[in-house]
Amino acid sequence: MPVAMRAAARHGQAMMLERLSPQAPDALLALIRLHAADPREDKIDLGVGVYRTEDGATPVFAAIKAAEQHLVDTQDSKSYLGPEGDTGFVNALMPYIFGADPTMGGRIAGMQTPGGTGAVRLALALAQKAGVKRVHMGVPSWPNHAQILADLGMELAPFDHANTNGSANLDAVLAAVNGAGADEAVLLHACCHNPTGIDYTGDQWAAIADAFAASGTFPIIDSAYQGLGYGMEEDAAGMRAVLAKVPEAFIAYSCDKNFGQYRDRVGAFYILSDDHAALDTAFSNANALARACWSMPPDHGGAAVRIILRDPDMTKAWLAELDDMRARMRQVRDALAKAGSAGRIDLTPLGTQHGLFAMLPVTKDEVTRLREEHGIYMAGSGRINIAGLTMGNLPKFIAALAAVAG
Ligand code: LMR
């Protein structure tokens, strides 16, 4: 018996690592491997949220390639930055997120984070440090929202994000905002809701903004898909309506999708406060949390975004690529809506929704059958990634759906 085991056994205790219980792999990320291992030529990946072209590829944006080349040619040091990362990147994004007055009247401070997940983690950890114990959130939501809350030991107060007719449930979000206590916050998706694709309308955002302003409830807004819905400006409008009316808020931002930077982990976290001293203090706390978590964010992807956004021609090229992505997803959504239904599944609402995702009312058993019998991979919740569909594989998808959900 090895020495340590003998020692533990002598004290009549379990070995330390034996006290851990096994964790299931993240269901969404596990799908990537399952799909990769499937030899069927006509398999369809509707799992993890990455954009795909009509050929099923997830290419590096040409604008990112050019910016990376520029970075290789000109970068003269890889010395440390700081917990706030590349401030040029953080500042260059701000006009796109916050509009013509990028600091909304000097009320915003930001820092780079490892992806949108890092930004959400930092937002929730800082909220917790400021006394927030409970976070209201529309469900279903991105599964990692709940996982991060659980990991931080914060309570999740769920409300229904959508009505059964496919519209956003305004009453539920207003009740959450109006009813939240002083140690509670409300987490919203800025656009292209994950997983439903159902966003609040302009009028609904206006009502939500009024509710935040009147109640004093703290908003945390996760913006992970700007530009994939209607366009960069349009997709920020609802969030800006809220931010214009509240004295303080957190914003988590991701460049994973709109710059195609998935694995390079490019995100940003912004704090809004009317009170300059409070803004400085909150920012210093965010820096301290970041230092204790990841010390500094990875630089490369953020630097590439900075290079693009500081160059008008590169910016134009990036926006054109984003337009193409959006147009392709719109084409797929229109085709699904035109198909009408597959078995008992009504596909028409998908035509009015936005972004990468939609929820299909399928059972777990039907999800399994789609995978095993037809090589179609989707989240167990019934979420599909619209970008995994093409005009080529759409007929197969609709026929398979009709076969299992007849
Ligand atoms: C998704 O929802 O599929 C993406 O945001 C990837 C992820 O990290 O879950």
Side-chain angles (χ1 to χ4, degrees), residues 96-116:
Y96 292 92
I97 306 173
F98 302 111
D101 173 8
T103 63
M104 292 193 137
R107 300 190 302 144
I108 295 175
M111 59 197 295
Q112 190 180 352
T113 57

Side-chain angles (χ1 to χ4, degrees), residues 26 28-29 32 47-50 117 142-144 194-195 224-225 254 256-257 262 265 356-357 383 385:
D26 184 278
L28 200 55
L29 302 185
I32 299 175
V48 76
V50 297
T117 304
W142 180 48
N144 217 14
N194 179 1
Y225 306 99
S254 173
D256 288 7
K257 316 294 191 292
Y262 313 92
R265 314 307 301 135
L356 281 173
F357 305 115
R383 187 191 83 169
N385 173 11

